[in-house]
Amino acid sequence: MPNPNANSIIVLDFETTGLSPQQGDRAIEIGAVKISNGVVVDTFQELMNPGRPVNAFIENYTGISNAMLKTADPCEQVMARFADFIGDENLLAHNASFDKKFLDAEFDRIGHKYAGEFACTLLTSRRIYQEAPNHKLGTLVRYKNLDGEGAFHRALFDAEMTAKLWLTMLADISIDYQIPQIPFALIKKLAKTAKANAPAMLSKW
């Protein structure tokens, strides 16, 4: 049973061979952060061998080389360990629709189903930071002056920065709308609310 509070969640990020598991693309790295009651309590990071070489664009974009992947465990082994890591918790990613489709595809290969639901920092940020220049992860990190050591487009760093952004967003919602404990259900409702109506919806909650 997932924790009903928004501040207990698994933040995850995939690096992949391409954009679409439906067209045969596979995960090559998973990074994740476990947040419990607003505190980061654990992390997970592994490369995984997709069974075929990645192209030069992906190598340059992620910094993950074919030589690195050659010695990594197969996707199926890594994803089995990741299934244990996430347990039944709710899940979060920046542009979650992308990561969800890869999580679903990789878990389908090992016959695993997960209990949690997804939230998305991209959709949430569009509603609460409407004045931000755009809602890319790097832009929002700079917009909120969040610090971090590492490079974007590596899975654990992206997950860590998404986690920092998430906790900042929850704090801002708490302060701006006097909601001391934010339920996950509120975030799900917010994501489906039109941007123009988001402040009024939060005020009524």
Side-chain angles (χ1 to χ4, degrees):
M1 185 80 177
N3 191 306
N5 295 323
N7 67 352
S8 291
I9 204 161
I10 304 286
V11 188
L12 63 99
D13 182 80
F14 279 107
E15 301 304 329
T16 64
T17 64
L19 297 176
S20 173
Q22 283 75 36
Q23 293 176 0
D25 287 311
R26 300 293 304 273
I28 56 172
E29 187 180 36
I30 177 72
V33 174
K34 185 177 287 185
I35 302 174
S36 180
N37 296 317
V39 177
V40 173
V41 295
D42 203 359
T43 61
F44 184 102
Q45 183 274 326
E46 285 199 50
L47 293 169
M48 53 186 120
N49 187 335
R52 55 188 164 81
V54 298
N55 63 36
F57 173 79
I58 294 296
E59 282 196 312
N60 291 331
Y61 183 73
T62 64
I64 298 169
S65 68
N66 283 299
M68 292 161 67
L69 294 173
K70 196 180 276 187
T71 57
D73 282 341
C75 295
E76 289 79 3
Q77 289 179 24
V78 175
M79 292 309 295
R81 292 193 284 271
F82 187 60
D84 290 339
F85 180 81
I86 68 174
D88 291 337
E89 293 301 331
N90 285 318
L91 307 166
L92 171 73
H94 197 76
N95 190 20
S97 61
F98 175 85
D99 295 278
K100 182 182 186 302
K101 67 186 178 183
F102 276 95
L103 185 70
D104 291 349
E106 294 296 347
F107 273 168
D108 279 349
R109 287 173 178 267
I110 62 169
H112 181 73
K113 301 276 186 233
Y114 55 92
E117 292 186 70
F118 264 90
C120 178
T121 45
L122 176 63
L123 294 180
T124 308
S125 69
R126 282 180 177 157
R127 283 149 182 81
I128 66 164
Y129 300 143
Q130 296 189 23
E131 65 292 345
N134 62 56
H135 297 87
K136 293 176 183 172
L137 180 58
T139 304
L140 292 167
V141 163
R142 289 189 295 276
Y143 178 70
K144 296 304 292 183
N145 294 314
L146 306 177
D147 58 341
E149 297 284 323
F152 287 110
H153 310 307
R154 285 303 300 269
L156 182 57
F157 182 74
D158 283 2
E160 287 173 336
M161 298 317 293
T162 301
K164 285 188 179 186
L165 177 64
W166 180 247
L167 293 174
T168 300
M169 289 198 293
L170 294 182
D172 287 345
I173 292 169
S174 274
I175 291 164
D176 293 346
Y177 298 97
Q178 285 87 54
I179 308 171
Q181 181 69 270
I182 298 172
F184 187 79
L186 171 57
I187 297 296
K188 293 289 285 182
K189 185 175 181 186
L190 180 61
K192 293 180 179 140
T193 301
K195 283 197 296 185
N197 299 334
M201 188 279 279
L202 288 167
S203 295
K204 278 188 200 146
W205 191 279

